Amino acid sequence: MAKRDIIVVKGLHKYFGAIEALRGVDLTVAAGKVVVIVGPSGSGKSTLLRCINHLEVETQGEVWVDGQKLGHDPKQINEIRTEIGMVFQLFNLFPHLTALENITLAQRVVRNRSKEEAIDMGLKQLKRVGILEKADVHPDQLSGGQQQRVAIARALAMDPKIMLFDEPTSALDPEMIKEVLDVMLDLAQDGMTMLVVTHEMGFARAAADELIFMDEGLIVEQGSPLDIFNAPQEERTKLFLSQILQH
Amino acid sequence: MSDRGGPLQESASFGPIVSSRRDRLSLAVAQAPLWLIAIFLLAIWAGYFILTRQNFRQAFEFILIGLSATISTTLWSYSMALILGLIAGLGRISRNVIIKNLATLYVEIIRGIPILVLIFYIALVAVPSVVDSLQALGFWLISRDISFLGEPLSLLSNQAISMNTRAVIALSVTYGAFLAEIFRAGIQSIGRGQMEAARSLGMSYGEAMRYIILPQAIRNVLPALGNDFVAMVKDSSLVSVLAVRDITQVARLYAGRTFRFREAYTTLAVLYLTMTLVLSLIVRMIERRYERNG
């Protein structure tokens, strides 16, 4: 498949009241690429991610996903969101549903799949993230790492073309980070287009095709992870990396 | 909602201090719901009276005639109030300015007027006005040759709408506003992440509400909904002012006819107390069960 640009962001500005969270961001992501976004908190990384599936609506600028410009028609937004899986920092599993029901609900409601199809797909994705045995368990009976893996399975079951990860390991105990990163690495190797906001530099090194450093609502530097880790060009990047990598 | 856990939950921290049997006994007495036992004894005593004294039994049998009206008024009104309350509660959090303000207007107007006044107003002013307007609309439609719609409307008349129906409408509209606030609070108690997760999977706002937010919200407000059901059983007594023959109205009739005020109103009070007590216990059981399940 020819490499096409599946996400195009042009001149993106986002205000929250008087605060300008994004100050003109341009970004292009080719299909199948893994892009990791790093930067200090408050730099606009999460806002950028959330603008791509319109959980936040841009104040100015354009977002194109798979050739479609995001507009204000709720139907169009719902359709585009179906193609974009999102994984949240706090998992956001539905606590009143079992792990499997978490995964089957949107398939049935949004994708109109039959119960059998949805369950087949749900079990397949649970197996993929390695917790098939927890299918009938409610989220409060799962560890943080397991919850996040169910959340990934839930997103994958919709057959998305893009996966967005918003600090997927930041709320996890250290011993659970690896099990989630392993699932993400696996996904990256399968050729999924991924946009990942994270502080896990190990993941960036191992999986990223491109690393983006953001600060104060702008993309400060972008390039291959190797180049940026070994020879950062900008002062702010150097400072950030020295702070985050020194231990 | 869970701050009414009761004395039993505090006992754990007293545990180690209590040693002798006497201490334990006095602690048990101090912690027992004596008021509840007292109410039960009172009810048994009243029941004994009602069954053994001729005058009380007569009053009881007479008042029972009104029980079906009390129960049906309560059940109908509460069911309709649930629907109204859910709609108004969703309206209160709507992002549509007009819907939001309409819902808030409704809730605030109702909450600012005594229930008794609302019952008079809705039953004797609002319902007749609406019926008259609909009738006028019916005649107008007939004059425009749209008689398939016009005829049924023109046949409406205020006589055809019984006081029982008006009472149900009045109580529903009133309690709809109370329940709206309960639903609103329940929906707002669910974290933003739930809506975001649902929307990110492609669900519409309505689908997310229906499948994700409301099931959790309603579960959270079940005790509050239960309390309002108990309150409605009591407030249903107000419809007696519309001459609906509920137990209160029947008791008044009995008292007026026989001058046995003590028999009539004691029996009436015990009847309400029995109903509300049983319902409160059921509400508490539900509450406990949900607290245990987290």
Side-chain angles (χ1 to χ4, degrees), chain A residues 50 53 78 81-82 84 86 88 92-96 105-106 109-110 154 158, chain B residues 192-194 196-205 207 211-212 215-216 293:
Chain A
R50 292 162 60 87
N53 68 352
N78 289 343
R81 279 180 179 149
T82 315
I84 307 177
M86 183 148 193
F88 299 86
N92 295 351
L93 289 181
F94 308 132
H96 60 302
L105 178 65
V109 174
V110 180
R154 178 176 69 179
M158 301 295 286
Chain B
R192 238 181 59 169
Q194 291 290 307
E196 289 184 349
R199 299 307 299 276
S200 78
L201 288 164
M203 285 189 216
S204 66
Y205 180 85
E207 287 164 347
Y211 295 108
I212 305 301
Q216 298 181 60
N293 293 350

Side-chain angles (χ1 to χ4, degrees), chain A residues 7 27 29 33-37 48-49 52 162-166 193-197 212:
Chain A
I7 301 174
L27 174 70
V29 179
K33 293 291 183 192
V34 177
V35 176
V36 171
I37 307 174
L48 172 60
L49 217 59
I52 290 169
I162 302 164
M163 286 286 287
L164 306 177
F165 293 84
D166 189 2
T193 310
M194 293 163 69
L195 218 60
V196 185
V197 171
I212 289 179

Side-chain angles (χ1 to χ4, degrees), chain A residues 130-204:
Chain A
I131 37 172
L132 190 56
E133 73 280 6
K134 300 288 186 187
D136 296 323
V137 170
H138 279 81
D140 59 358
Q141 306 285 316
L142 296 172
S143 73
Q146 289 168 334
Q147 287 190 53
Q148 193 61 297
R149 286 190 280 159
V150 173
I152 295 173
R154 178 176 69 179
L156 289 176
M158 301 295 286
D159 286 323
K161 294 177 180 151
I162 302 164
M163 286 286 287
L164 306 177
F165 293 84
D166 189 2
E167 305 207 23
T169 57
S170 297
L172 295 177
D173 290 333
E175 74 271 19
M176 292 170 185
I177 291 177
K178 188 174 176 295
E179 66 190 53
V180 172
L181 290 182
D182 284 346
V183 170
M184 290 167 61
L185 274 171
D186 195 46
L187 204 55
Q189 274 153 15
D190 280 359
M192 174 65 76
T193 310
M194 293 163 69
L195 218 60
V196 185
V197 171
T198 186
H199 297 295
E200 296 297 328
M201 297 302 150
F203 175 79

Side-chain angles (χ1 to χ4, degrees), chain A residues 6 16 22 26 46 49 55 62-63 71 74-75 90 105 108 110 112 134 148 154-155 162 172 175 213 221 229 235 239:
Chain A
I6 196 162
F16 293 108
L22 294 176
D26 296 288
S46 291
L49 217 59
L55 283 184
E62 293 178 4
V63 178
K75 256 200 170 135
L90 297 174
L105 178 65
R108 302 196 57 195
V110 180
N112 293 319
K134 300 288 186 187
Q148 193 61 297
R154 178 176 69 179
I162 302 164
L172 295 177
E175 74 271 19
F213 173 68
E221 193 165 351
F229 281 131
E235 278 311 312
L239 183 67

Side-chain angles (χ1 to χ4, degrees), chain B residues 142-193:
Chain B
I142 289 174
S143 75
R144 298 276 154 146
D145 280 339
I146 317 177
S147 40
F148 72 98
L149 259 175
E151 246 168 57
L153 283 178
S154 69
L155 291 176
L156 279 175
S157 81
N158 277 306
Q159 282 85 10
I161 299 179
S162 71
M163 277 300 165
N164 288 47
T165 309
R166 294 183 199 201
V168 167
I169 294 172
L171 272 183
S172 312
V173 171
T174 306
Y175 265 71
F178 302 161
L179 299 190
E181 286 302 90
I182 294 179
F183 281 120
R184 182 188 58 78
I187 292 167
Q188 287 179 335
S189 73
I190 306 301
R192 238 181 59 169

Side-chain angles (χ1 to χ4, degrees), chain B residues 205-249:
Chain B
Y205 180 85
E207 287 164 347
M209 265 295 161
R210 176 173 162 201
Y211 295 108
I212 305 301
I213 308 296
L214 282 180
Q216 298 181 60
I218 288 173
R219 200 181 134 146
N220 286 354
V221 299
L222 267 182
L225 291 177
N227 284 338
D228 267 30
F229 183 70
V230 176
M232 189 180 259
V233 170
K234 292 185 289 178
D235 283 341
S236 72
S237 67
L238 292 168
V239 304
S240 62
V241 300
L242 299 177
V244 171
R245 290 167 72 90
D246 74 325
I247 53 176
T248 303
Q249 175 67 2

Side-chain angles (χ1 to χ4, degrees), chain A residues 95-151:
Chain A
H96 60 302
L97 302 177
T98 65
L100 184 60
E101 287 164 351
N102 260 277
I103 303 173
T104 54
L105 178 65
Q107 293 187 66
R108 302 196 57 195
V109 174
V110 180
R111 287 277 195 220
N112 293 319
R113 289 181 187 153
S114 72
K115 193 173 178 183
E116 291 72 28
E117 278 179 292
I119 288 177
D120 280 351
M121 173 58 106
L123 294 174
K124 191 179 124 193
Q125 296 300 342
L126 276 176
K127 196 172 170 193
R128 179 175 189 174
V129 299
I131 37 172
L132 190 56
E133 73 280 6
K134 300 288 186 187
D136 296 323
V137 170
H138 279 81
D140 59 358
Q141 306 285 316
L142 296 172
S143 73
Q146 289 168 334
Q147 287 190 53
Q148 193 61 297
R149 286 190 280 159
V150 173

